[in-house]
């Protein structure tokens, strides 16, 4: 959620665009945990918009890291941005250490996070859909099309 918020902030500030082409790093391709389906591969190029859908529809950690590297330059710098934004939102019991969230937080801080974003129509655009279809470019220039779909949830 915080990764999406920071991406939308960067777009609103003119520091990023939905049409930005983002190249998947080796780190993003190998991040582990939940990933886009199929997972991103090193050298794959997708638009920032496709990655935002992959982040929220598939809960893609690979998309989260690719977004973080694109917007923040590195995962560490992006985590610092996440922590600064958390402080602005009054999330005093949250520390981010990676683009996919993590380190620690409290339920109260997570409620504050969601409440800060849930009235934003741009935010809702990415958290609401159950699927999204887009094409990008593979490492060798071949077309890679994705049908990003929300799977069965345990939530």
């Amino acid at each position: 959620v915080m990764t999406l918020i920071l991406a939308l902030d960067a777009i609103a500030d003119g520091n990023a665009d939905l049409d930005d082409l983002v190249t998947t790093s080796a780190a993003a391709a190998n991040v582990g945990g939940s990933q886009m389906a199929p997972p991103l591969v090193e050298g794959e190029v997708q638009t920032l918009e496709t990655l935002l859908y992959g982040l929220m529809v598939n809960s893609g950690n690979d998309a989260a890291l690719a977004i973080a590297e694109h917007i923040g330059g590195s995962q560490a710098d992006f985590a610092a941005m996440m922590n600064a934004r958390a402080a602005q939102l009054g999330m005093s019991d949250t520390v981010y250490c990676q683009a996919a969230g993590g380190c620690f937080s409290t339920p109260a801080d997570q409620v504050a996070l969601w409440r800060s974003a849930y009235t934003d129509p741009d935010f809702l655009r990415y958290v609401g859909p159950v699927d999204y279809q887009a094409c990008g470019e593979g490492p060798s220039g071949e077309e890679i099309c994705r049908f990003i779909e929300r799977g069965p949830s345990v939530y």
Side-chain angles (χ1 to χ4, degrees):
V1 173
M2 184 62 83
T3 297
L4 177 57
I5 290 171
L6 289 179
L8 293 174
D9 286 350
I11 291 165
D13 294 343
N15 296 320
D17 190 274
L18 291 172
D19 294 327
D20 284 356
L21 297 177
V22 180
T23 301
T24 304
S25 69
N30 295 299
V31 73
S34 61
Q35 297 175 319
M36 290 178 60
L40 294 170
V41 297
E42 181 179 358
E44 179 176 344
V45 178
Q46 291 289 343
T47 64
L48 179 56
E49 181 172 43
T50 296
L51 294 174
L52 293 177
Y53 280 108
L55 170 71
M56 297 309 293
V57 174
N58 268 125
S59 188
N61 294 346
D62 49 356
L65 183 50
I67 292 164
E69 292 172 339
H70 180 69
I71 292 174
S74 70
Q75 179 152 242
D77 289 342
F78 193 78
M81 293 168 63
M82 295 172 84
N83 289 316
R85 188 70 155 99
Q88 289 174 347
L89 294 173
M91 298 169 60
S92 58
D93 294 317
T94 296
V95 174
Y96 290 102
C97 58
Q98 60 176 330
C103 278
F104 64 86
S105 188
T106 63
D109 279 0
Q110 290 303 297
V111 168
L113 176 65
W114 275 91
R115 290 182 88 182
S116 73
Y118 204 71
T119 57
D120 180 350
D122 291 328
F123 179 84
L124 295 176
R125 174 180 175 191
Y126 296 98
V127 300
V130 294
D131 59 52
Y132 180 76
Q133 187 167 353
C135 294
E137 187 175 295
S140 301
E142 73 279 11
E143 184 176 63
I144 293 181
C145 294
R146 296 179 171 278
F147 183 72
I148 301 169
E149 183 175 34
R150 189 178 315 274
S153 178
V154 296
Y155 299 115

